[in-house]
Amino acid sequence: MNRNKIACECRHITYGEIEDAVRAGASSFAQVQQMTGCAKSCGRCREFIEYLVKDLLREAERSER
Protein backbone atom coordinates (compact mmCIF):
# COMPACT_ATOMS: atom_id res chain seq x y z
CA MET A 1 0.00 0.00 0.00
CA ASN A 2 1.23 3.46 -0.86
CA ARG A 3 1.00 5.19 2.53
CA ASN A 4 1.29 8.62 0.90
CA LYS A 5 -1.70 8.18 -1.41
CA ILE A 6 -4.65 10.40 -0.51
CA ALA A 7 -7.74 8.53 0.74
CA CYS A 8 -9.80 11.62 1.61
CA GLU A 9 -9.32 14.47 -0.86
CA CYS A 10 -11.19 17.13 1.11
CA ARG A 11 -9.20 16.63 4.30
CA HIS A 12 -5.97 15.40 2.63
CA ILE A 13 -5.94 12.24 4.76
CA THR A 14 -3.56 9.58 3.48
CA TYR A 15 -3.79 5.79 3.45
CA GLY A 16 -0.96 5.86 5.98
CA GLU A 17 -2.93 8.03 8.38
CA ILE A 18 -5.85 5.61 8.15
CA GLU A 19 -3.53 2.68 8.80
CA ASP A 20 -1.90 4.49 11.72
CA ALA A 21 -5.30 5.09 13.31
CA VAL A 22 -6.10 1.37 13.08
CA ARG A 23 -2.71 0.47 14.54
CA ALA A 24 -3.35 2.97 17.34
CA GLY A 25 -6.48 1.07 18.34
CA ALA A 26 -9.34 2.27 16.12
CA SER A 27 -11.61 -0.70 15.51
CA SER A 28 -14.31 0.89 13.36
CA PHE A 29 -14.82 3.47 10.65
CA ALA A 30 -16.36 5.84 13.22
CA GLN A 31 -13.23 5.65 15.39
CA VAL A 32 -10.94 6.20 12.39
CA GLN A 33 -13.10 9.15 11.36
CA GLN A 34 -12.86 10.62 14.85
CA MET A 35 -9.07 10.16 14.98
CA THR A 36 -8.29 11.45 11.48
CA GLY A 37 -11.19 13.66 10.43
CA CYS A 38 -11.68 11.69 7.21
CA ALA A 39 -15.03 11.73 5.37
CA LYS A 40 -16.31 14.72 7.31
CA SER A 41 -16.66 17.10 4.37
CA CYS A 42 -18.23 15.84 1.15
CA GLY A 43 -18.31 12.15 2.16
CA ARG A 44 -17.42 10.77 -1.29
CA CYS A 45 -14.58 8.74 0.24
CA ARG A 46 -16.67 7.23 3.03
CA GLU A 47 -17.51 3.92 1.35
CA PHE A 48 -13.91 3.37 0.27
CA ILE A 49 -12.48 4.23 3.69
CA GLU A 50 -15.01 1.93 5.38
CA TYR A 51 -13.73 -0.88 3.15
CA LEU A 52 -10.09 0.09 3.80
CA VAL A 53 -10.62 0.05 7.57
CA LYS A 54 -12.27 -3.40 7.42
CA ASP A 55 -9.38 -4.68 5.30
CA LEU A 56 -6.77 -3.26 7.68
CA LEU A 57 -8.58 -4.79 10.66
CA ARG A 58 -8.63 -8.21 8.92
CA GLU A 59 -4.92 -7.91 8.20
CA ALA A 60 -4.18 -7.02 11.82
CA GLU A 61 -6.25 -9.97 13.01
CA ARG A 62 -4.38 -12.37 10.69
CA SER A 63 -0.98 -11.13 11.83
CA GLU A 64 -1.94 -11.65 15.48
CA ARG A 65 -2.52 -15.37 14.87
Side-chain angles (χ1 to χ4, degrees), residues 8 10 33 38-48:
C8 174
C10 295
Q33 186 179 45
C38 67
K40 286 192 171 185
S41 291
C42 76
R44 286 184 295 168
C45 62
R46 182 184 181 106
E47 187 176 333
F48 169 73

Side-chain angles (χ1 to χ4, degrees), residues 23-35:
R23 287 184 178 181
S27 60
S28 68
F29 167 78
Q31 290 176 346
V32 169
Q33 186 179 45
Q34 184 177 22
M35 292 171 78

Side-chain angles (χ1 to χ4, degrees), residues 1-6 14-20 23:
M1 168 179 24
N2 179 353
R3 290 182 45 85
N4 295 319
K5 188 172 180 179
I6 299 293
T14 65
Y15 284 44
E17 289 171 294
I18 303 295
E19 183 178 27
D20 292 345
R23 287 184 178 181

